[in-house]
Amino acid sequence: MWPRTSTRSPCWTGCCRCTRRSSPTCARPAPSGSQLDEPALVQDRTPAELDAAARAYRGLGTLTDRPKLLVASYFDRLGDALPVLAEAPVDGLALDFTEGAAANLDALATVGGLPGKRLVAGVVNGRNIWVNDLEKSLATLGTLLGLADRVDVSASCSLLHVPLDTAAERDIEPQILTWLAFAEQKTAEIVTLAEGLARGTGAIAAELAVNRATLASRADSPITHDPAVRSRTAAVTEADARRSQPYPERATAQRAHLGLPLLPTTTIGSFPQTTELRTARADLRAGRIDTVGYEERIKAEIGEVISFQEKTGIDVLVHGEPERNDMVQYFAEQLTGYLATQHGWVQSYGTRYVRPPILAGDISRPEPMSVRWTAYAQSLTDRPVKGMLTGPVTMLAWSFVRDDQPLGDTARQVALALRDEVNDLEASGTSVIQVDEPALRETLPLRAADRPAYLAWATEAFRLSTSGVRPDTQIHTHMCYAEFGDIVQAIDDLDADVISLEAARSHMQVARELAAHGYPREAGPGVYDIHSPRVPSTEEAAALLRTGLEAIPAERLWVNPDCGLKTRGWPETRASLESLVAAARTVREELSAS
Ligand code: GLN
Ligand code: ZN
């Protein structure tokens, strides 16, 4: 890759033999190239925006005494922006040849290549963790050699999206470990490919042989091809992804079964993840307590969460999710075919790091994952306790996904595993089950043309996981991260009986959007902004509820916070939920008086 800096940089690896790389006395001139990242150009852009880009690059490119300019794109095809950049007087383009590879190749051929320019070919996936198919990459690179003055081998994007080194992983089965490439391994792949490109495949024969064997071991493995999972997914019918009765009948059955008041109150699932809970998990990992001791602590926490909710007067309770380290990893650890890493940290945003699990093989659920905690919570109260699961789309969105089958196929496998869990929750006496999909919108493809196909498999996967229950079992879902306007149809297509959404900061904007769409089912736009420690007053929450009632009729309006409470402390959680329940009571009285 080109250096990202333009002037007076320290000596870069390879630019000279200076052993003190940062020595200001290094004799060779500093490299004078500048990389301009333009991932916005892989999204749909209007003709006016493309014109503006053409003008901007013409302006930059025609400056005298300028550094060399490399314009980098990644995560998808460049589409209409490719001819614009191909014509621009810049020195090089970086293109993604992993995602959108075929389209980028075609488009490059259509514009007659990049004569006079350098092409940085992102053939090693910088966003996923699978070993590269070196022969396939060499073939792509070979094609590209005919299309640009010079071809550099590169990762498709910055390597900050992948963990550092597979060698740090001790718990992953050795065979599976060979299928993985983290940043260190990817760097080695880039070097190998560059060598193969420069000196011929003979120069990298040994690497190619190992690579071929690795890819074959992955393709032939019973881990990636479990016949039981394959035949089950193949047998899925359209009816499996449809509830047995339409919503109006279900609503009547659920009303009779649950007997909830008008404006029922509930929460999104998690209660504060206290230091004691995290310490208990650390103690368990370090062997300071055993499983029995750990589970006693979890049970004690559930007991407190239930009794607080009863005392506060919440209508649909939750167990509080104290046993979960993370809403995706917790389930990934219990599903066959899913791997958790020990050291696979990647930056999520700012200083927050996550360890995404890896969807490595065919997915199945050897045994129930959450049932006993929900059932335990239910044993402590007469009020309904809501079972809590993470939905198939979010499981995919916050994991490294398979690259050897369509995402929709992986989603369907995860959905079937979750369907078993949903059905087992129902069988254990759970009447309300929430399947969270906070990442549904986040995963929306970058280009509008790709969205219908994504939303089709995503909503089908959700319905597949939730459609195996009786009509009187109430299915909830939850989404956050604002701006739902453009996916209201998809929200409708989930066919969940109740949806809770983040809404407090936008003053119930989503309630108006749902109403404008004619959304026919129940909804709980949040009345408590959980992203701040601020405690809403009863009057503030009541005012939001009254605003919600302008869009959603009382029979279909729920009262809940914006999202889970795991990041909050107990004092503000207590006070805020008390306000929330008081607000629901106030508005109920107003309704019955009017
Ligand atoms: N049930 C999860 C929780 O309450 C939902 C979290 C989320 O939406 N991100 O924490
Ligand atoms: Zn949320």
Side-chain angles (χ1 to χ4, degrees), residues 78-122:
L78 261 178
D80 292 343
L82 192 134
V84 173
L85 294 181
E87 268 189 25
V90 296
D91 306 283
L93 300 187
L95 301 188
D96 191 331
F97 289 100
T98 61
E99 281 156 82
N104 272 341
L105 268 172
D106 283 355
L108 267 184
T110 308
V111 298
L114 302 174
K117 287 194 175 63
R118 188 166 177 163
L119 174 62
V120 176

Side-chain angles (χ1 to χ4, degrees), residues 119-390:
L119 174 62
V120 176
V123 288
V124 170
N125 195 325
R127 268 217 296 194
N128 213 337
I129 44 65
W130 302 106
V131 154
N132 192 261
D133 182 337
L134 296 179
E135 278 169 359
K136 192 168 154 216
S137 296
L138 282 171
T140 303
L141 291 165
T143 309
L144 294 175
L145 274 182
L147 291 167
D149 264 21
R150 176 171 174 168
V151 174
D152 294 308
V153 184
S154 171
S156 60
C157 60
S158 146
L159 293 176
L160 70 80
H161 307 282
V162 292
L164 193 57
D165 190 355
T166 60
E169 297 303 324
R170 302 266 172 257
D171 289 351
I172 297 180
E173 208 185 294
Q175 191 202 16
I176 300 183
L177 205 55
T178 65
W179 305 345
L180 307 180
F182 294 173
E184 292 276 356
Q185 289 70 37
K186 284 176 188 289
T187 311
E189 288 175 347
I190 291 168
V191 171
T192 302
L193 286 166
E195 183 140 329
L197 196 62
R199 296 177 45 213
T201 50
I204 55 166
E207 286 89 341
L208 288 177
V210 170
N211 184 244
R212 222 173 285 131
T214 303
L215 297 177
S217 102
R218 185 175 166 213
D220 300 339
S221 164
I223 296 166
T224 52
H225 290 84
D226 177 336
V229 175
R230 297 271 148 175
S231 56
R232 190 173 177 207
T233 35
V236 167
T237 64
E238 204 256 323
D240 293 331
R242 210 176 337 110
R243 295 286 293 270
S244 62
Q245 284 189 11
Y247 174 70
E249 277 114 83
R250 291 184 338 241
T252 310
Q254 289 162 20
R255 222 156 265 151
H257 184 50
L258 295 168
L260 297 171
L262 205 60
L263 306 179
T265 52
T266 191
T267 62
I268 308 306
S270 58
F271 268 71
Q273 276 276 339
T274 56
T275 313
E276 294 79 64
L277 286 171
R278 288 184 216 279
T279 307
R281 242 190 307 286
D283 284 349
L284 176 68
R285 265 199 312 274
R288 288 188 288 269
I289 54 172
D290 60 8
T291 312
V292 178
Y294 173 71
E295 294 190 345
E296 283 311 314
R297 294 195 198 180
I298 297 293
K299 280 186 175 170
E301 184 69 20
I302 292 175
E304 280 180 33
V305 167
I306 292 290
S307 80
F308 164 73
Q309 293 172 95
E310 279 196 322
K311 204 165 72 233
T312 310
I314 291 177
D315 301 304
V316 173
L317 313 194
V318 295
H319 78 289
E321 305 179 23
E323 78 288 9
R324 300 187 188 174
N325 43 8
D326 171 88
M327 66 185 284
V328 170
Q329 188 171 344
Y330 179 74
F331 293 103
E333 281 171 358
Q334 301 185 69
L335 289 166
T336 302
Y338 233 133
L339 304 178
T341 69
Q342 265 181 302
H343 303 285
W345 297 100
V346 296
Q347 190 183 29
S348 166
Y349 61 89
T351 55
R352 273 190 79 91
Y353 281 73
V354 291
R355 254 182 320 160
I358 300 169
L359 281 151
D362 284 349
I363 298 297
S364 57
R365 187 202 67 145
E367 50 189 61
M369 302 182 283
S370 66
V371 176
R372 68 198 187 97
W373 298 120
T374 307
Y376 174 70
Q378 186 64 80
S379 75
L380 304 174
T381 178
D382 293 333
R383 296 184 181 219
V385 173
K386 183 162 67 163
M388 304 299 313
L389 301 172
T390 304

Side-chain angles (χ1 to χ4, degrees), residues 268 438 478-480 562-564:
I268 308 306
H478 165 70
M479 274 174 218
C480 32
D562 270 349
C563 190

